[in-house]
Amino acid sequence: MVTGLETPPARPVTFSPQSVQPPAKVDILSVRHPTRCPFPRFFSGVRLGPVAIGGFVGISTGRRWCRRHLHVRQRIGVAVGTPKDGAGASGEQFDGGIPENQEDEQVVTPWKVEAGKGGVDYNKLIDQFGCQAITPEQVDRIQRLTGRPPHRFLRRGLFFAHRDLDAILDAYEKGEAFYVYTGRGPSSESLHLGHMVPFLFTKWLQDAFDVQVVIEMTDDEKFLFKDQLGLEEARRLGFENARDIIAVGFDPAKTFIFRDTDYIRELYPVALQIQKCVTLRQAQNTFGFTGSDNIGKVAFPAIQASPSFALAFPRFLPPGARCLIPQAIDQDPYFRVTRGVAQKLSWPKPALIHAKFLPALQGNQTKMSASDESTALYMTDTEKQLRNKINKRAFSGGAATAEEQRLRGADLSADVCYQYLKIWLEDDEELARIGEAYAAGDMLTGEVKKRLGDVVAALVHEHQAARTHVDDAVVERFMDPSRVELANSDQMTTTLPTGKSSA
């Protein structure tokens, strides 16, 4: 594992040349590296240590890498890449994603999310990523500082973990500037419900804290990572996806949306400083890049990291402003790297607030994904399409028959429709009634699916109506960094809900 900006010594493990089976508790995953090693003759008497590559661990002889001959999965070992292994000089966990779990085959990386029958174990992610759980006291503090009830995403634990949330709240309480940064990788014509989570929450943060928001459209990333996607198409999708984001209701005077290919002149000086702090080995360790990946992929993480720093937005953000990033937990590796670099450059570390995944319709073993349309409810779907998907595809935690359901009740943790209601139904009391009745067998699956259909159809219909008002001119306004309204949106002095200004 790699932590901070340093590579700790690998723990040595001795292998016999007669067998590739390691001891029972060796922490080894499958190796991903293009260079082959001359196994087994160079391994006789060699002490080997595990070296992390993305969500995987390789075997290093100090001279060569073994790729094919030691394709050993974690089923024979223990979890690796945990913060318990220590931190580097920066104190940040600078490792690659989450290793696969022996028992439930859990895999969480920026590109892949898979879990066992019980779904993603978020407590395990907190432990393995080294972040902290959001506490009820922090939620109460947010309510006190903003004078607003916490968003349902917060009070129901959809946003469940963080890095340095208290530092952001301390800054706000002192009247210091901070801004919110989130983004979208434009790979599909329409957003689905899962994509809406960070934007809806970011909109609430903007309103509650009265802060500026920057939203990055990573058209360059999708061009680099998707072989069949052309650059102009990636740019077009970025523009179209911006319509959906604007329809959420962001304040144009406090919101800047940009495609990387448009704003690269301003991003690049910041990205260069970040790139100079990260070695190729560290990029491979964190993201699993191999010799067959194009060099654009290796350079891209610094582009995504750049908006974490107010230096990238000199026209309208005060120097040194802190940054808060709402994101799904699978994006954490990008910003663990970013935070390590920030410490090295003496820049303010971005704070992170992590969301759980919106499960796929078929069950909580994976997330809703635009790459598999059968898993998703899209913001362009008609009401009929939404209800058909819910009725036919949504995994049920109920029993096989109505009689059995009334007798045994439903498993709420496995029922996708109930889990969706926890996210999208605003009324806490109604949600509690549905949960109690469904678990007790007093409510059947069809009734729950109908209620979810009502809630989602209303949400999507409202969004579609708002989107009709977002024409090209509106998008271009949000994408113009030179707007006077952005520059005039000064947040150096924060007015707290008490009416007293804290400067």
Side-chain angles (χ1 to χ4, degrees), residues 144-311:
R144 176 175 59 82
L145 289 176
T146 63
R148 293 174 179 240
H151 194 282
R152 65 179 182 274
F153 292 171
L154 263 182
R155 64 179 187 262
R156 295 178 188 165
L158 181 62
F159 279 86
F160 73 105
H162 73 96
R163 294 181 187 271
D164 282 352
L165 177 59
D166 285 327
I168 286 289
L169 298 180
D170 290 344
Y172 179 77
E173 199 162 19
K174 294 175 184 177
E176 297 175 3
F178 85 90
Y179 67 101
V180 180
Y181 158 44
T182 192
R184 158 78 178 142
S187 60
S188 60
E189 197 78 30
S190 171
L191 275 62
H192 59 58
L193 280 180
H195 294 142
M196 297 297 289
V197 168
F199 297 116
L200 289 168
F201 188 63
T202 297
K203 167 65 165 59
W204 182 84
L205 290 171
Q206 182 179 69
D207 293 343
F209 288 96
D210 191 26
V211 292
Q212 290 173 301
V213 169
V214 297
I215 300 174
E216 179 184 35
M217 310 299 288
T218 58
D219 53 345
D220 52 343
E221 175 201 17
K222 293 307 177 184
F223 169 69
L224 292 167
F225 281 79
K226 288 187 171 291
D227 292 338
Q228 305 305 316
L229 184 63
L231 181 56
E232 286 307 311
E233 178 64 5
R235 284 176 50 79
R236 187 189 70 81
L237 290 175
F239 195 89
E240 289 303 311
N241 286 182
R243 298 184 197 273
D244 281 310
I245 295 168
I246 293 167
V248 170
F250 287 101
D251 182 352
K254 294 180 180 292
T255 307
F256 175 48
I257 301 175
F258 61 97
R259 293 178 295 195
D260 284 343
T261 53
D262 291 329
Y263 198 63
I264 192 62
R265 179 175 179 178
E266 287 77 9
L267 289 178
Y268 196 51
V270 181
L272 278 174
Q273 297 188 67
I274 296 169
Q275 288 169 343
K276 194 171 183 178
C277 292
V278 182
T279 67
L280 176 60
R281 174 64 57 81
Q282 290 162 351
Q284 290 174 321
N285 289 343
T286 304
F287 302 106
F289 297 132
T290 72
S292 62
D293 286 313
N294 65 65
I295 59 175
K297 291 182 181 181
V298 181
F300 170 74
I303 303 297
Q304 180 160 315
S306 297
S308 306
F309 305 106
L311 290 170

